[in-house]
Structures are given as C-alpha cells and as structure tokens.
Amino acid sequence: YIKAINNESLFDAFINSLIVAGISTVVSTILGAMLGLALYRFSFPGKNAYDGWIHLPIIIPEICMGVSMLAFFAWLEIPLGLFTITVSHIAFSLPFVAVVVRARMAGFDHSLEESSLDLGANQFQTFLYVTLPYMMPGVVAGALLALTLSLDDFVITFFTSGPGSTTLPIKIFSMVRFSVTPEVNAASTVLIVLTLLLSVVAMIIQSRDKNSKGLTV
C-alpha cells in the first residue's frame, strides 16, 4: 500500500477517477432525478418511445456505447480527455438514476401535494418540503449507483480517454499487462473495497426505502 501511494502515476490516476466520478455523479443525479420525476408525473405523445430511448444505455453493451461516444466526439472534433470521459459517464449513469427515482415515486400519494397546496404553499414550496423529501432516498441511492458505475467503468473510459486522462481502472489494466505487482494488488483492493462500501450503502438505503413504503401503506 505504501508503494501504491508513492507511485505518482497510480495516484494521479486515482485522483482522475475521483474527479470524473464526482462531477458525473452530481450532474447525472440532478438530471436523472428530474428525468425520473418527469417520466413518472407527465404524459405526452410518444412517451413510451422516449422512455425506451432514454434507457438504451442500460440495455446496449458498453463497448457499443464506448465506440458511439468516440465517434460522437470525433465528429464534433473534441479532443479526448477528462471532459469526454465525464460526459460519457454522465450519459451512461443518468438512466440508472432515473430508474431508481421513478421506482421511488411509484408509491407517492398525490394527496400530500394537494394538502400542501390547500394549506397555502405554492408549487415550489410543495416540491421542496413534500415531494423532494419523499424522493430523497431514491436520489441518494441513484447517486451512489452512479458513483459506483463511474469509479468501476473501464470499457467506455478506454474509448473516450486521451493523454493525461488515465483513470484508475485503465491504469490497473495497463500495469497488469506487464506483471501483477503488489502495487496492482493494493490499488485493486482499494477499488474493490470502495465499490463494495458504496454498493452496501445503496442497498441499505433502498431497503429502508421499501420498509418506509410498507409502513406508509
């Protein structure tokens, strides 16, 4: 572990992973929560088709999405780097957040919003003090899922990364190609433990979410 920490290139890759994961998690959580709420609440022409289209990143293989994102950035002549990795991770993680938030809102009682409006609250206050607190377990679980997916992603990152934008999974892969050193084992262990902790927290939040629904019912 001391050698892994003192390995400058490995440490830089870990920092890059944290930067990409942090930004992509915040953006995908905000957009995914808005998307999940919109798909749950509103009906509009072509909603089913749009719903299916928005969930394509979950269905299609990651290698297909990685190649598609690479072609997209090449078409726009955007140089590959941390920006392209972050945008790709946002596009990949956003549907997962939307699915979790939408599932959470499936048990929402609209009479709570109606009561809030009848008692004098406006639309924004109703959303802030009634709807958002109910959404929050799903939002937090979706954020942790997005963070886990971003930290672990290799395939999409491999196609959309450029010079100086190596993330930890890419760095570990490049090191393993030559030999499995104690540094590789230490870095892999840190990544596995971090991912496991995030997954456990997300599952705990979802289980509490289900229990709270049962108590509400």
Side-chain angles (χ1 to χ4, degrees):
Y1 289 97
I2 295 176
K3 288 184 178 180
I5 294 175
N6 293 330
N7 189 321
E8 185 176 351
S9 61
L10 189 61
F11 184 76
D12 290 341
F14 180 68
I15 296 300
N16 287 339
S17 292
L18 292 181
I19 293 173
V20 171
I23 297 175
S24 65
T25 298
V26 172
V27 177
S28 61
T29 299
I30 295 174
L31 296 179
M34 295 170 60
L35 177 61
L37 181 61
L39 291 175
Y40 161 74
R41 176 163 292 180
F42 301 110
S43 297
F44 49 88
K47 178 181 177 180
N48 293 332
Y50 180 79
D51 195 4
W53 173 76
I54 212 67
H55 290 85
L56 278 179
I58 302 177
I59 302 172
I60 63 176
E62 282 192 53
I63 189 170
C64 295
M65 186 170 181
V67 173
S68 300
M69 296 301 297
L70 175 61
F72 175 73
F73 293 131
W75 178 59
L76 293 178
E77 298 182 354
I78 299 177
L80 299 180
L82 290 180
F83 174 76
T84 55
I85 298 174
T86 304
V87 172
S88 301
H89 284 199
I90 292 172
F92 177 66
S93 304
L94 192 153
F96 289 90
V97 180
V99 168
V100 175
V101 173
R102 188 178 185 181
R104 168 64 180 171
M105 293 303 297
F108 184 65
D109 187 359
H110 289 286
S111 62
L112 298 175
E113 291 182 331
E114 295 173 357
S115 299
S116 175
L117 295 172
D118 289 340
L119 292 173
N122 56 35
Q123 291 286 349
F124 177 75
Q125 291 173 326
T126 299
F127 173 79
L128 186 63
Y129 296 110
V130 178
T131 310
L132 184 59
Y134 187 88
M135 288 175 55
M136 193 52 63
V139 173
V140 174
L144 292 173
L145 180 60
L147 181 60
T148 303
L149 291 172
S150 180
L151 285 174
D152 284 349
D153 184 77
F154 171 81
V155 178
I156 296 176
T157 306
F158 180 80
F159 284 98
T160 57
S161 62
S165 60
T166 303
T167 60
L168 188 57
I170 299 294
K171 181 62 179 179
I172 292 175
F173 174 75
S174 64
M175 295 175 67
V176 169
R177 293 177 61 187
F178 297 98
S179 64
V180 181
T181 63
E183 297 168 272
V184 174
N185 294 332
S188 301
T189 302
V190 170
L191 185 61
I192 292 173
V193 170
L194 184 59
T195 303
L196 182 61
L197 288 176
L198 292 173
S199 301
V200 169
V201 172
M203 287 188 292
I204 291 174
I205 293 175
Q206 288 181 334
S207 64
R208 289 182 177 179
D209 180 21
K210 293 179 181 178
N211 292 335
S212 64
K213 286 182 180 181
L215 291 175
T216 302
V217 173

